[in-house]
Amino acid sequence: PPSAAVGPAAALSSVPRPLGGAGARPLWMGKWKLDKARSEVYEPIMSDMGVHYFIRRAMDAKTSFLTMKTSDTHVLILLQMGISVEESIPLDGSWASKAVPPMSKMSGEARWRLTKNSAKELEMYTEFPSGWGSLRDTLTVSEDGSTFARKIARSESLYITRYFMRVPE
């Protein structure tokens, strides 16, 4: 079953307001490669979200790449991990629909929104269908802009941190 510590109603009240655009080019923009040696596995988060065991294993076996950029109205995210997944989230903090994780026990659609957007930090908050809780995904770029930490949290006690290195464009 999903983590009981974060339910949709409780999580909604703790969603911070969007901070707006960063002015200059945000440091989180660009292409990034997962640093598997420093990163925690995705398995506990995916398990809590009802993702099939073999899919969880495959996700942790691959080295993923993230490419992030912006349009005038959205953050555009391309995840490459054997397969490619493209998503976009409104910059203004409004809710957008997205598919639930493939090969999970969830059905229907989730909704997500941007909750932080600064030069060094990007945070997205996702609410899953009823009974499946939420997820907070926070990217924090290092001082020199060469790496970022990605904290993926289902609750105060269930979270992982994954590290990414900038790939020259």
Side-chain angles (χ1 to χ4, degrees), residues 71-93:
S71 71
D72 289 341
T73 59
H74 287 75
V75 175
L76 309 170
I77 302 167
L78 173 63
L79 171 63
Q80 296 170 296
M81 182 175 51
I83 61 166
S84 293
V85 177
E86 290 185 64
E87 297 183 309
S88 69
I89 185 168
L91 279 167
D92 66 5

Side-chain angles (χ1 to χ4, degrees), residues 42-127:
Y42 228 137
E43 200 280 333
I45 299 291
M46 292 289 113
S47 176
D48 191 60
M49 292 172 33
V51 175
H52 189 277
Y53 172 79
F54 292 111
I55 300 300
R56 296 190 316 254
R57 298 289 296 183
M59 288 179 72
D60 279 330
K62 296 281 185 184
T63 297
S64 57
F65 290 86
L66 275 174
T67 303
M68 294 181 289
K69 45 186 155 177
T70 60
S71 71
D72 289 341
T73 59
H74 287 75
V75 175
L76 309 170
I77 302 167
L78 173 63
L79 171 63
Q80 296 170 296
M81 182 175 51
I83 61 166
S84 293
V85 177
E86 290 185 64
E87 297 183 309
S88 69
I89 185 168
L91 279 167
D92 66 5
S94 59
W95 290 103
S97 295
K98 69 184 274 184
V100 295
M103 304 295 281
S104 73
K105 295 177 183 174
M106 288 184 216
S107 62
E109 285 194 334
R111 66 183 199 153
W112 69 331
R113 63 182 271 186
L114 198 61
T115 53
K116 291 183 185 175
N117 173 18
S118 68
K120 291 186 179 179
E121 191 171 34
L122 184 69
E123 182 177 83
M124 295 145 290
Y125 177 79
T126 304
E127 288 183 344

